[in-house]
Amino acid sequence: MPLHRQISAYFISKISSGAWPPGMRLIPQRELCRQLGVNRSTVVTALGQLAALGLIEGSRGGGTRVAASSRAGASGPDAAARSTGAAGQLGGNWNDYVEEGIHYPNLPAVQAINRLEYEAGLIRLGTGEPAPGLLPGESMRQVLLELAQNPLPPLSYEEPLGSLILRRAVSQELSKNGIEADPSSILITSGALQGLQLIALGLLPRGSTVLLEKPSYLYSIHAFQSAGVKFSGLPMDKDGLLPDQLAAAAIRSKAAMLYTIPSFHNPTGILMDAGRRDALMDIAGGLGLPILEDGAYQDLWLDDRPPNPLKARDREGRVLHLGTLSKAASPGLRIGWIVGPEPVVRRLADIKMQTDYGASSLSQLAAARWLEGGYHEQHLVLLRGKLRQRRDFMLQLLDIHFAGLASWNIPAGGFYIWLSLNGTLSLRRLFKAALQAGVLLNTGDLYDRSDSRHLRLSFAYASEDEMDHGIAALANIINNQMT
Amino acid sequence: MPLHRQISAYFISKISSGAWPPGMRLIPQRELCRQLGVNRSTVVTALGQLAALGLIEGSRGGGTRVAASSRAGASGPDAAARSTGAAGQLGGNWNDYVEEGIHYPNLPAVQAINRLEYEAGLIRLGTGEPAPGLLPGESMRQVLLELAQNPLPPLSYEEPLGSLILRRAVSQELSKNGIEADPSSILITSGALQGLQLIALGLLPRGSTVLLEKPSYLYSIHAFQSAGVKFSGLPMDKDGLLPDQLAAAAIRSKAAMLYTIPSFHNPTGILMDAGRRDALMDIAGGLGLPILEDGAYQDLWLDDRPPNPLKARDREGRVLHLGTLSKAASPGLRIGWIVGPEPVVRRLADIKMQTDYGASSLSQLAAARWLEGGYHEQHLVLLRGKLRQRRDFMLQLLDIHFAGLASWNIPAGGFYIWLSLNGTLSLRRLFKAALQAGVLLNTGDLYDRSDSRHLRLSFAYASEDEMDHGIAALANIINNQMT
């Protein structure tokens, strides 16, 4: 069968099965050519055949859609009922609903990144996860073998707070950072991201204001905004949040809580020093301001051990502390935790039960073995060494390619270097040009909507070869675009 | 140390660490005695010591709370700032927020059930999951061994739609029920419950109306109500939903969608026949009414194979179909799926990425091996045999103990017998009396708020001995309570 016929047959099967419903916008011709690896004329021929069959049509906003009348019967009495909106005032099928719903979509750039991360061959200079080679494949196989030897594999549901075995192991782990928490103060979540989602849905009333560092990772996700919560950003210096500014902003905005990443902040890599941590706790205590502490990067120090988390300084139940195995051991396990006062974690556990009935038991038991067996401790030592090497390598590359173009911090831990360009440019245009050159970026506007001169670089994901090539290509593009 | 001193020391450690924050309500004395296995006077002595220390105090609504001034410094200037609500107009710490948040709490009875299910020794006559002995421990160990032999264990994130290997396996599985769906039309979720949550958040605008069978499982969870969606219940007969009533109700309520469990309905066990399924699809087509089909029990037929799902009859993208591994293979894997038009599953995948960044990779790969390796197919055959035996046993017990007290259906599949009492009683009182006798119940009001004469019995969880004892005890209590 000629190529264009194969393409039109594929389209026909999608449309006739309802997988591509009436009104669905088709991907642009250029993108189609790229994905199918065929030339434009082949695609044009195929689309012409489909249009002749009345299956697709030009859409008002430009582009091509599946024809509204593509379904048999759609022009009969059914269609009349539909257009008068007899029952479905919202339309005829699920496709009409994709713009509805109370949860915001991801930012278009985040959607693009989520999709593009699964395309082979791109150099991912901003990805906030450890490269597959940094993950502990061999010792996790050992953990799976141990689980397989268990006479009863973990196939049933776990308790609302999560597996007691895992909570005990997490409690043990937290004590190494000075946090004393019984298993009854710990809720296991499907990654720290779910922790944020549960807090947004379960603890904050609509219209509340959350204080946070600006820029912040939290701007790049929609958990809080979808729950009707507003953000108010606070400035930082090289030692973290400015406590004086915090007090003024909290009073002015009647803030409901402070979200902070004190250790190796995402995206700036900033480490809050011990004095700031104490000052912050004092001020929050005086104001009666609850704190949500994101400890995702706490254990990924590269130079010196960071000061203990805010939660270790808390005797009032003021701090909810988030932790995760995603950044060090395995993103795919989807295991995180929330530590806080018992009534609060019970409320969040109740919502979690309604949301997904608990995290995977298999993941929970694997995580428990991982922590209990001492694998985590061992792996952290190795990982820190490898991350240190990657950081230093990326810093060298920046010295070579970005001197005079930008400035940057030297992060003492975590994954990120926050690149400040010496001039402004269109970050959207930069993203596109980099993608064209095979480089996937996390631009600063993801973390602060008004930003036009920062990039979050990650030394955790790309290989040294890729960094070498990618940073050079990036400098080249920026040189051309920056005014 | 005497017992009462141990108890007061434990309370002091909880209060001083902030795990029990100021204002937290303590569990009632009677419950405390039960949990600690001590007598009332010991508890009274301990609480007296704590009150003398100013750490606890009587609360307005009765009962005892952690004292508002239990924290050092709380009576100083901080407390003043707090009570004038300088910043936190909502109060001083996270504990003040447990009544806030937009997500509804579970029904009190559901919260109690979720908690009590982890107490040993209770006979669970209503639990909607397979007994541990019905789960495929041996073959799942085989699956774990296979995963452990994989040179690269699944430690990274999967694609937004979920692992392609698993989606291919699910696509294959769906084809056995007449559903043709490419992997691109399938979204992997953390159990079918998360599928409901994503649809509620992602597709339905606030104020929409959802039609559903009455009673329905969906009344017992709050995914839709928390998203501001209203319910309108439809009557059933022994063959399922009444299509004529559907049309009238859809027009009257301007319904946004229909939620239905056509095969072995939860909680009634009703199987919708093929004629009804066709009629329902016709009517929904005429009305332009989208359908959400919950197929959780589809494969758990005990007598004859049921008619194909609604999704198998759909060529318009009208039906979203939910499936799960929780009811047959493993609740703890937390693996389910949504099948629907591509733009719809992409929208839901985007919200899933924001919610928990995907289901556990370990669970996804285990599920893929489970399906691909033919384990699932084999296990279903065994499971059906065991469930059939359990169903028949429970029906015998009902004949013995409930003749004259109630009537019931003979379910052709699934887990449930819907017991209709011959008179009414207080279901709340029944729940308590049964609990006192060691029997945990799922009462009809969970599935229809106005119900006062039904119980959902499950033959999937309790052992034959437990059923024997539990059903007799239940009949006895009902005999005493029913008017």
Side-chain angles (χ1 to χ4, degrees):
Chain A
M1 226 198 291
L3 260 178
H4 63 87
R5 287 279 291 283
Q6 290 179 35
I7 296 171
S8 57
Y10 173 75
F11 275 51
I12 290 171
S13 78
K14 288 287 189 182
I15 294 171
S16 64
S17 71
W20 292 2
M24 186 186 110
R25 192 187 289 272
L26 300 181
I27 55 174
Q29 289 187 15
R30 183 182 308 193
E31 180 64 15
L32 203 58
C33 295
R34 195 179 74 87
Q35 284 187 11
L36 300 174
V38 299
N39 61 41
R40 193 73 171 257
S41 65
T42 307
V43 163
V44 168
T45 308
L47 294 180
Q49 289 164 350
L50 294 163
L53 290 168
L55 291 175
I56 63 172
E57 60 194 13
S59 81
R60 274 170 304 175
T64 311
R65 288 176 182 268
V66 176
S69 56
S70 63
R71 301 287 326 135
S75 55
D78 289 5
R82 209 170 295 157
S83 65
T84 57
Q89 83 272 41
L90 291 158
N93 66 37
W94 285 110
N95 194 45
D96 301 309
Y97 285 15
V98 292
E99 309 286 319
E100 306 289 340
I102 59 172
H103 204 291
Y104 294 6
N106 257 315
L107 295 174
V110 174
Q111 291 191 31
I113 291 171
N114 286 341
R115 202 173 51 242
L116 289 164
E117 282 182 345
Y118 296 90
E119 288 205 4
L122 285 176
I123 297 178
R124 293 159 60 174
L125 282 187
T127 295
E129 66 183 88
L134 296 181
L135 296 177
E138 201 45 54
S139 38
M140 206 55 93
R141 282 171 61 178
Q142 196 54 42
V143 165
L144 289 181
L145 282 174
E146 289 178 29
L147 286 186
Q149 276 147 25
N150 197 320
L152 264 185
L155 296 178
S156 295
Y157 295 120
E158 296 290 340
E159 298 178 53
L161 288 177
S163 150
L164 181 59
I165 303 174
L166 175 55
R167 285 183 288 132
R168 282 194 185 125
V170 169
S171 169
Q172 189 61 33
E173 204 56 32
L174 288 165
S175 70
K176 297 177 189 166
N177 286 325
I179 296 174
E180 284 177 40
D182 284 350
S184 54
S185 294
I186 298 171
L187 168 65
I188 302 301
T189 58
S190 304
L193 179 59
Q194 192 189 40
L196 294 172
Q197 180 82 5
L198 294 173
I199 291 163
L201 289 175
L203 297 179
L204 299 177
R206 244 165 218 290
S208 312
T209 297
V210 168
L211 299 176
L212 73 175
E213 288 117 358
K214 185 172 184 172
S216 174
Y217 160 69
L218 209 58
Y219 281 98
S220 71
I221 60 171
H222 281 149
F224 286 88
Q225 292 97 321
S226 293
V229 170
K230 290 170 292 186
F231 283 170
S232 175
L234 300 173
M236 292 181 282
D237 66 11
K238 64 171 188 37
D239 298 317
L241 270 181
L242 300 168
D244 295 346
Q245 305 260 359
L246 167 65
I251 292 167
R252 196 170 52 238
S253 65
K254 297 208 167 88
M257 73 162 201
L258 168 69
Y259 169 84
T260 179
I261 312 171
S263 294
F264 318 121
H265 178 259
N266 179 0
T268 65
I270 289 172
L271 174 66
M272 191 186 288
D273 69 19
R276 284 285 168 86
R277 292 179 195 227
D278 285 335
L280 195 151
M281 288 300 290
D282 278 352
I283 289 172
L287 293 167
L289 182 68
I291 297 174
L292 174 55
E293 174 180 44
D294 189 336
Y297 302 91
Q298 176 75 25
D299 289 327
L300 295 175
W301 47 272
L302 301 180
D303 300 328
D304 301 304
R305 200 183 173 84
N308 275 345
L310 300 173
K311 184 68 191 163
R313 298 153 205 262
D314 176 31
R315 294 287 171 276
E316 302 180 285
R318 175 168 312 292
V319 179
L320 284 183
H321 177 86
L322 297 181
T324 179
L325 286 183
S326 298
K327 298 301 177 184
S330 162
L333 275 186
R334 309 307 306 119
I335 292 295
W337 47 84
I338 302 176
V339 185
E342 292 181 19
V344 177
V345 298
R346 280 200 301 267
R347 159 74 168 144
L348 297 174
D350 179 54
I351 302 176
K352 175 151 176 62
M353 289 299 278
Q354 297 185 61
T355 301
D356 63 8
Y357 225 86
S360 157
S361 304
L362 191 52
S363 279
Q364 291 192 61
L365 273 284
R369 282 303 307 140
W370 171 254
L371 292 172
E372 278 175 342
Y375 296 108
H376 188 60
E377 195 67 33
Q378 277 176 18
H379 171 66
L380 275 176
V381 175
L382 289 176
L383 179 64
R384 285 186 198 116
K386 290 179 189 168
L387 282 174
R388 202 177 293 126
Q389 197 177 327
R390 285 168 158 269
R391 175 195 62 180
D392 296 345
F393 185 72
M394 190 176 255
L395 288 169
Q396 279 174 30
L397 290 174
L398 291 176
D399 280 334
I400 297 170
H401 298 287
F402 276 86
L405 265 186
S407 59
W408 54 90
N409 59 323
I410 297 176
F415 290 170
Y416 309 116
I417 295 172
W418 187 235
L419 195 70
S420 302
L421 303 178
N422 289 346
T424 61
L425 44 65
S426 158
L427 289 174
R428 206 171 151 186
R429 210 172 128 229
L430 174 61
F431 178 84
K432 282 188 183 170
L435 191 58
Q436 212 70 24
V439 176
L440 187 60
L441 294 178
N442 287 48
T443 51
D445 50 344
L446 296 179
Y447 312 103
D448 171 2
R449 299 294 148 84
S450 62
D451 185 71
S452 62
R453 43 176 291 197
H454 291 91
L455 294 177
R456 181 184 87 174
L457 297 179
S458 162
F459 45 87
Y461 198 86
S463 67
E464 294 204 348
D465 268 4
E466 288 175 329
M467 285 190 208
D468 198 358
H469 183 84
I471 296 275
L474 183 61
N476 199 18
I477 296 168
I478 289 176
N479 229 336
N480 290 335
Q481 292 195 353
M482 201 162 62
T483 54
Chain B
M1 224 198 291
L3 260 180
H4 62 86
R5 287 280 291 284
Q6 289 178 38
I7 295 171
S8 57
Y10 172 75
F11 275 51
I12 290 170
S13 78
K14 288 287 188 182
I15 294 170
S16 65
S17 71
W20 292 2
M24 187 186 109
R25 191 188 289 272
L26 300 182
I27 55 174
Q29 289 187 16
R30 183 183 307 192
E31 179 64 16
L32 203 57
C33 296
R34 195 178 73 87
Q35 283 187 12
L36 300 174
V38 299
N39 62 42
R40 193 73 170 257
S41 65
T42 308
V43 164
V44 168
T45 309
L47 294 180
Q49 291 164 349
L50 294 164
L53 291 168
L55 291 175
I56 63 172
E57 61 193 11
S59 81
R60 274 169 303 175
T64 311
R65 287 174 183 270
V66 176
S69 56
S70 63
R71 300 286 329 133
S75 55
D78 289 4
R82 210 168 296 156
S83 67
T84 57
Q89 81 273 40
L90 292 156
N93 66 37
W94 285 111
N95 195 44
D96 301 308
Y97 285 15
V98 292
E99 309 286 320
E100 307 288 341
I102 59 171
H103 205 290
Y104 293 8
N106 257 315
L107 295 173
V110 174
Q111 291 191 32
I113 291 172
N114 286 341
R115 201 173 52 242
L116 290 165
E117 283 182 344
Y118 296 90
E119 289 205 3
L122 285 177
I123 297 178
R124 294 159 59 174
L125 282 187
T127 295
E129 65 182 87
L134 296 183
L135 296 177
E138 201 44 55
S139 37
M140 207 54 95
R141 281 170 61 179
Q142 195 53 42
V143 165
L144 290 181
L145 282 175
E146 289 178 29
L147 286 186
Q149 277 147 23
N150 196 320
L152 264 185
L155 296 177
S156 296
Y157 295 119
E158 297 290 339
E159 298 177 54
L161 288 177
S163 150
L164 181 59
I165 302 173
L166 176 55
R167 286 183 287 131
R168 281 194 186 126
V170 169
S171 169
Q172 190 62 32
E173 204 56 31
L174 289 165
S175 69
K176 297 178 188 164
N177 286 325
I179 296 175
E180 284 176 39
D182 284 350
S184 54
S185 293
I186 298 170
L187 168 65
I188 302 302
T189 58
S190 304
L193 180 58
Q194 191 189 42
L196 293 173
Q197 181 81 8
L198 295 174
I199 290 163
L201 289 175
L203 297 179
L204 298 177
R206 246 166 217 289
S208 312
T209 297
V210 167
L211 299 176
L212 73 175
E213 287 118 359
K214 185 174 184 174
S216 174
Y217 160 69
L218 209 60
Y219 281 99
S220 71
I221 61 171
H222 281 151
F224 285 87
Q225 292 99 320
S226 293
V229 170
K230 290 170 293 185
F231 284 170
S232 176
L234 299 175
M236 291 181 281
D237 66 12
K238 65 173 188 33
D239 298 317
L241 271 181
L242 301 167
D244 295 347
Q245 305 260 357
L246 166 65
I251 291 168
R252 196 171 54 238
S253 66
K254 296 209 168 90
M257 73 161 198
L258 167 70
Y259 170 83
T260 180
I261 312 172
S263 294
F264 318 122
H265 177 260
N266 179 0
T268 65
I270 290 171
L271 173 66
M272 191 186 289
D273 68 19
R276 284 285 167 86
R277 292 179 193 226
D278 285 336
L280 195 151
M281 289 299 291
D282 278 353
I283 289 172
L287 292 166
L289 182 70
I291 297 174
L292 175 53
E293 174 180 44
D294 190 335
Y297 301 91
Q298 177 75 25
D299 288 328
L300 295 174
W301 47 272
L302 301 180
D303 299 328
D304 302 304
R305 200 183 173 85
N308 276 344
L310 299 174
K311 184 67 189 165
R313 297 153 206 264
D314 177 29
R315 294 288 172 276
E316 300 181 287
R318 175 168 311 293
V319 179
L320 285 182
H321 178 86
L322 297 181
T324 179
L325 285 183
S326 298
K327 298 300 176 183
S330 161
L333 275 186
R334 310 306 306 118
I335 293 294
W337 48 86
I338 302 176
V339 185
E342 291 181 17
V344 176
V345 298
R346 281 201 299 266
R347 160 75 168 142
L348 298 173
D350 179 55
I351 302 176
K352 177 153 176 60
M353 289 299 279
Q354 296 186 61
T355 301
D356 63 8
Y357 225 85
S360 157
S361 303
L362 191 52
S363 279
Q364 291 193 61
L365 273 283
R369 281 305 305 141
W370 171 254
L371 292 172
E372 277 175 343
Y375 296 108
H376 188 60
E377 194 68 31
Q378 278 177 18
H379 172 66
L380 276 176
V381 175
L382 289 176
L383 179 64
R384 284 186 199 117
K386 291 179 187 167
L387 283 174
R388 201 176 294 126
Q389 197 177 327
R390 285 168 158 269
R391 174 195 61 178
D392 295 345
F393 185 74
M394 189 176 256
L395 288 170
Q396 279 173 30
L397 290 173
L398 292 176
D399 280 334
I400 296 170
H401 297 287
F402 275 85
L405 265 186
S407 59
W408 54 89
N409 59 322
I410 297 175
F415 290 171
Y416 308 117
I417 296 172
W418 187 235
L419 196 70
S420 303
L421 303 178
N422 289 346
T424 61
L425 44 65
S426 157
L427 288 175
R428 204 169 154 191
R429 211 172 128 227
L430 174 61
F431 178 85
K432 283 189 180 168
L435 191 59
Q436 212 69 24
V439 176
L440 186 60
L441 294 179
N442 287 49
T443 50
D445 50 343
L446 296 179
Y447 312 103
D448 172 1
R449 299 293 149 83
S450 62
D451 185 73
S452 63
R453 42 175 294 194
H454 291 91
L455 294 176
R456 182 184 87 173
L457 297 179
S458 161
F459 46 86
Y461 198 85
S463 68
E464 293 205 347
D465 268 5
E466 289 175 328
M467 285 190 209
D468 199 357
H469 183 84
I471 296 274
L474 182 62
N476 199 17
I477 296 167
I478 288 176
N479 227 334
N480 289 336
Q481 292 195 352
M482 202 163 61
T483 56

